């Protein structure tokens, strides 16, 4: 699995413009939407309608992509902390395990905040 970096609105619009104003689907591939990118390529952006709609939706699509990547990152960190906490408890290092627990709680709150941002 490849981890995608933070995507910019500017980069998405650049690919939208260079890809014949969205008809080739380059902007969708940039955002990790490979299936719809192929669909855009084969149908000329859903006969231009989808490509035109994307001109208005790109800012939202980029935001959604970046929030999704951040959610994956936070969930991964929570799992890592859980494993670390378990190892610390087994080694009778309870204060450090409590710190891991506190970090997990903070990340859980951040995860809820990010999930709300997707709505």
């Amino acid at each position: 699995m490849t981890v995608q970096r933070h995507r910019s609105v500017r980069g998405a619009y650049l690919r939208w413009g260079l890809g014949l104003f969205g008809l080739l689907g380059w902007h969708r591939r940039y955002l990790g939407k490979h299936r719809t990118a192929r669909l855009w390529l084969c149908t000329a952006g859903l006969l231009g309608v989808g490509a035109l709609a994307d001109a208005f939706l790109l800012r939202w699509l980029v935001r959604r992509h970046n929030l999704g990547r951040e959610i994956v990152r936070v969930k991964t960190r929570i799992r890592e902390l859980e494993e670390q906490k378990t190892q610390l408890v087994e080694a009778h290092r309870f204060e450090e395990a409590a710190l891991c627990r506190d970090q997990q709680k903070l990340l859980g709150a951040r995860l809820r905040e990010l999930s709300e941002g997707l709505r």
Side-chain angles (χ1 to χ4, degrees), residues 2-114:
T2 60
V3 177
Q4 295 181 352
R5 295 185 313 269
H6 177 83
R7 300 299 189 198
S8 70
V9 173
R10 185 180 197 179
Y13 273 111
L14 178 67
R15 283 161 181 80
W16 180 85
L18 291 175
L20 301 177
F21 301 102
L23 296 177
L24 298 180
W26 292 351
H27 59 294
R28 288 190 163 263
R29 182 167 297 280
Y30 175 68
L31 297 174
K33 298 181 154 298
H34 300 289
R35 287 183 182 157
T36 57
R38 268 187 247 120
L39 179 64
W40 258 235
L41 181 62
C42 294
T43 63
L46 296 176
L47 301 177
V49 175
L52 181 62
D54 280 353
F56 298 99
L57 294 176
L58 265 182
R59 189 172 298 278
W60 177 79
L61 289 170
V62 170
R63 182 176 173 271
R64 185 171 172 87
H65 170 82
N66 290 334
L67 281 174
R69 299 308 314 154
E70 180 68 11
I71 286 172
V72 168
R73 191 190 67 75
V74 169
K75 284 182 177 180
T76 301
R77 183 65 182 134
I78 288 172
R79 277 194 306 276
E80 290 170 355
L81 284 170
E82 183 63 38
E83 292 172 13
Q84 183 181 359
K85 185 175 70 174
T86 301
Q87 292 171 356
L88 289 168
V89 167
E90 290 172 358
H92 300 288
R93 294 167 64 181
F94 300 112
E95 289 181 20
E96 293 173 59
L99 287 174
C100 284
R101 182 199 64 222
D102 294 342
Q103 287 180 341
Q104 277 183 296
K105 286 182 181 179
L106 288 172
L107 286 172
R110 175 75 175 136
L111 184 61
R112 286 188 295 279
E113 178 184 306
L114 289 169

